[in-house]
Amino acid sequence: MNQEELKKILPHRDNMLLVDEAELRDGVAYGKKTIRPDEWFLQGHFPGNPVVPGVILCEILGQSTCVLLSDEQEGATPYFTGLDKVRFKNSVRPGDVLETECTLIKHKGPFYWASGKGFVNGKLCVSAEFSFALIKE
């Protein structure tokens, strides 16, 4: 899926749509985000030494995971409800391509639990378990 296709399942727009492309293979969501030097979240983080903030890495994982729920998401907004076991192993910088792998762990009602990992050139940069709810408004 490209960004236009992702907009059909994600409510994020403009600067907050943080996944460039994603696909679903064998129950795993794979996503990609190329980090451009002019990204809004790099401004001031840190001057002369730009590093993608950890919270942005977690958001990228969450958005990538939503590909797994594309059939169930129509008319619903995904809201993070928790982040657990978040670990940052290597920094992500301008020019890097963050590649994500996300899977669902369990589901109960509108709540979903997932795990995700983000890599740059095969090196683990972030891993997390997280939960979210699909809320129809």
Side-chain angles (χ1 to χ4, degrees):
M1 297 179 155
N2 60 31
Q3 276 200 331
E4 289 307 309
E5 293 167 315
L6 287 166
K7 286 179 182 178
K8 294 176 183 172
I9 62 169
L10 288 172
H12 305 77
R13 294 293 180 270
D14 302 323
N15 293 335
M16 280 309 297
L17 181 55
L18 298 174
V19 179
D20 296 331
E21 60 184 80
E23 68 176 313
L24 180 59
R25 286 192 320 248
D26 300 323
V28 179
Y30 296 92
K32 284 186 183 179
K33 169 65 176 171
T34 299
I35 308 300
R36 298 182 326 271
D38 64 343
E39 300 280 6
W40 62 270
F41 48 79
L42 293 174
Q43 307 308 310
H45 197 269
F46 303 102
N49 184 27
V51 175
V52 177
V55 69
I56 297 296
L57 296 174
C58 291
E59 180 67 23
I60 293 168
L61 291 176
Q63 289 184 23
S64 297
T65 300
C66 287
V67 174
L68 293 165
L69 305 172
S70 58
D71 293 338
E72 300 170 45
Q73 241 177 281
E74 188 155 339
T77 302
Y79 289 99
F80 264 132
T81 57
L83 289 166
D84 294 306
K85 301 178 184 172
V86 179
R87 298 290 180 266
F88 304 105
K89 301 293 186 179
N90 291 288
S91 58
V92 181
R93 300 179 176 279
D96 287 344
V97 176
L98 182 70
E99 298 185 58
T100 62
E101 295 179 13
C102 303
T103 57
L104 288 177
I105 298 171
K106 67 179 180 175
H107 160 245
K108 184 173 184 179
F111 297 98
Y112 294 82
W113 289 263
S115 65
K117 294 180 180 179
F119 303 87
V120 171
N121 294 324
K123 288 179 69 176
L124 181 64
C125 295
V126 59
S127 62
E129 290 184 4
F130 43 94
S131 58
F132 56 96
L134 287 181
I135 305 297
K136 294 191 182 216
E137 300 183 62

